[in-house]
Amino acid sequence: QKEVEQDPGPLSVPEGAIVSLNCTYSNSAFQYFMWYRQYSRKGPELLMYTYSSGNKEDGRFTAQVDKSSKYISLFIRDSQPSDSATYLCAGGKGGGNKLTFGTGTQLKVEL
Amino acid sequence: SQTIHQWPATLVQPVGSPLSLECTVEGTSNPNLYWYRQAAGRGLQLLFYSVGIGQISSEVPQNLSASRPQDRQFILSSKKLLLSDSGFYLCAWREWTEVTGELFFGEGSRLTVL
C-alpha cells in the first residue's frame, strides 16, 4: 500500500466549476501536508501548506485536512483553463526531512 | 526573494556515459537541499538531501551520487548511466530552520538515457 494515494484522473470539469481533489494517506505520523500544481514538463509549484486539521484558504484555493480519517482535499473555486495541470499532494512527519508524495491527479478545465 | 536554478533543462545521454546535474539557490543561506526523481505514474521519489556543505543523506541506493561543494550548490552525478536512470530530476530547497516547512522546487532536468 502506498503511503499517499491519489486518483490519477484525468478529471475534466467545465470552466467555473468547483473542483475537489483528494488524497488519502496511511501514515499516522504525518503532521503536515502540501499541495503542488505541476504544469506539463515543469517543476511543481507550491500551492498550499497545512500543519493541522481543518481548513486553510488562499484565494480560490482551500486545503482541508482530516487527520482522523487520514484524508486531505484541495478545493478550487471558479476553476479556469489555466488551472489545467497535475496536482500533487504530499505528507511529512513532524521533525522529519522527508515528504512523501502522491502520484498526482490530472485536471482539465474546459471552456 | 529566493530563486532556484537547475541545469541543463534537457539532456540525452548514451548508456554508460557520466552525468552531472547542477542546482543553485539564491537569496538564502544554508538551505536544506534535495534531489527528487519523478517517473511517470510513480510520483516523486526522494534521492538525496543535504543539511549543509559536504553532508549528504541517501534515501535510495542506486547508480547516482550527490555532492554539496558550496552552501547553495547541489550536484547530482553518475559515473555510468543506466537506461533506468531516465526521468525528470527535480532539485528543491527549504529554509535551514524549517525541516518541516515549505519545500520549493526548481524547473527540473529531463534526462533521457538511450
Side-chain angles (χ1 to χ4, degrees):
Chain A
Q1 180 189 12
K2 294 180 181 177
E3 283 191 287
V4 180
E5 300 262 14
Q6 280 186 268
D7 186 326
L11 174 64
S12 292
V13 301
E15 183 180 8
I18 296 175
V19 176
S20 173
L21 301 166
N22 307 298
C23 287
T24 59
Y25 64 95
S26 59
N27 194 330
S28 299
F30 284 170
Q31 294 190 8
Y32 65 97
F33 305 89
M34 301 190 205
W35 281 99
Y36 288 86
R37 176 174 63 194
Q38 186 174 24
Y39 294 113
S40 179
R41 308 184 75 83
K42 297 290 187 182
E45 173 192 6
L46 179 63
L47 288 177
M48 300 288 280
Y49 170 92
T50 55
Y51 198 87
S52 59
S53 285
N55 293 354
K56 180 177 180 180
E57 187 174 321
D58 185 0
R60 296 186 295 114
F61 299 93
T62 300
Q64 189 175 79
V65 176
D66 182 348
K67 291 186 176 181
S68 63
S69 60
K70 298 188 180 68
Y71 198 82
I72 57 177
S73 300
L74 179 70
F75 299 97
I76 306 174
R77 292 183 298 279
D78 188 24
S79 56
Q80 304 294 311
S82 58
D83 294 327
S84 298
T86 296
Y87 289 80
L88 304 167
C89 63
K93 301 176 187 178
N97 217 340
K98 179 181 176 180
L99 270 182
T100 302
F101 284 82
T103 53
T105 299
Q106 185 181 1
L107 171 67
K108 295 181 180 179
V109 181
E110 298 171 333
L111 292 169
Chain B
S1 63
Q2 299 87 0
T3 56
I4 179 169
H5 303 281
Q6 273 187 252
W7 69 93
T10 306
L11 199 58
V12 180
Q13 292 286 101
V15 170
S17 64
L19 171 73
S20 181
L21 300 179
E22 192 163 339
C23 170
T24 59
V25 180
E26 297 176 357
T28 187
S29 296
N30 196 30
N32 292 321
L33 296 172
Y34 306 80
W35 278 112
Y36 281 83
R37 178 168 58 199
Q38 186 174 35
R42 296 184 61 185
L44 275 75
Q45 179 187 35
L46 179 62
L47 302 176
F48 302 94
Y49 70 89
S50 172
V51 298
I53 295 174
Q55 301 179 63
I56 308 296
S57 296
S58 174
E59 287 292 308
V60 182
Q62 58 206 324
N63 187 40
L64 301 170
S65 62
S67 61
R68 185 169 176 174
Q70 299 181 44
D71 181 41
R72 290 167 289 173
Q73 183 185 28
F74 206 22
I75 297 172
L76 183 69
S77 304
S78 174
K79 292 182 179 178
K80 289 185 178 182
L81 284 168
L82 305 173
L83 286 174
S84 57
D85 291 323
S86 292
F88 192 42
Y89 289 84
L90 291 155
C91 182
W93 74 276
R94 262 181 172 138
E95 295 287 358
W96 72 275
T97 55
E98 303 285 343
V99 291
T100 58
E102 297 170 326
L103 184 69
F104 300 98
F105 286 90
E107 284 298 298
S109 298
R110 187 165 300 279
L111 171 66
T112 303
V113 182
L114 301 174

